[in-house]
């Protein structure tokens, strides 16, 4: 899974590097902020772990969740 960068607070980023890493991130997501995009991403991670869907499809679902949650970040510049 290509890495996904998410905003963590106002000044830091977190790099999500794998399907299990994304699943772990979702597990820690606050219950009161879970919405249909969260559940789609969560289900996609489990399906990718089980081999039911391609990793790329799971990544797309995770990115959509991050976009809807307002936490998707651009990859930081290499330097």
């Amino acid at each position: 899974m290509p890495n996904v960068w998410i905003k963590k607070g106002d000044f830091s980023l977190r790099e999500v590097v794998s399907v299990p890493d994304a699943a772990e991130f979702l597990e820690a997501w606050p219950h009161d902020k879970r919405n249909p995009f969260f559940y789609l991403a969560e289900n996609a991670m489990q399906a990718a772990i089980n081999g039911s869907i391609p990793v790329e499809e799971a990544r797309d679902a995770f990115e959509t969740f991050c976009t809807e949650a307002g936490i998707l970040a651009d990859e930081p510049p290499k330097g």
Side-chain angles (χ1 to χ4, degrees):
M1 175 168 129
N3 300 352
V4 176
W5 289 88
I6 52 178
K7 298 173 189 170
K8 188 176 179 191
D10 290 336
F11 302 106
S12 64
L13 298 175
R14 173 177 172 181
E15 184 178 19
V16 177
V17 298
S18 66
V19 168
D21 192 21
E24 183 181 304
F25 175 81
L26 290 170
E27 195 175 297
W29 192 251
H31 286 274
D32 63 334
K33 292 186 176 184
R34 294 181 181 190
N35 62 22
F37 294 103
F38 167 87
Y39 292 108
L40 286 171
E42 184 179 53
N43 290 340
M45 292 308 122
Q46 290 308 312
I49 289 168
N50 296 336
S52 305
I53 66 169
V55 169
E56 294 77 22
E57 196 173 317
R59 182 188 194 279
D60 289 346
F62 184 70
E63 268 198 346
T64 299
F65 160 74
C66 291
T67 298
E68 291 297 319
I71 60 171
L72 186 66
D74 293 329
E75 183 174 338
K78 295 185 171 38

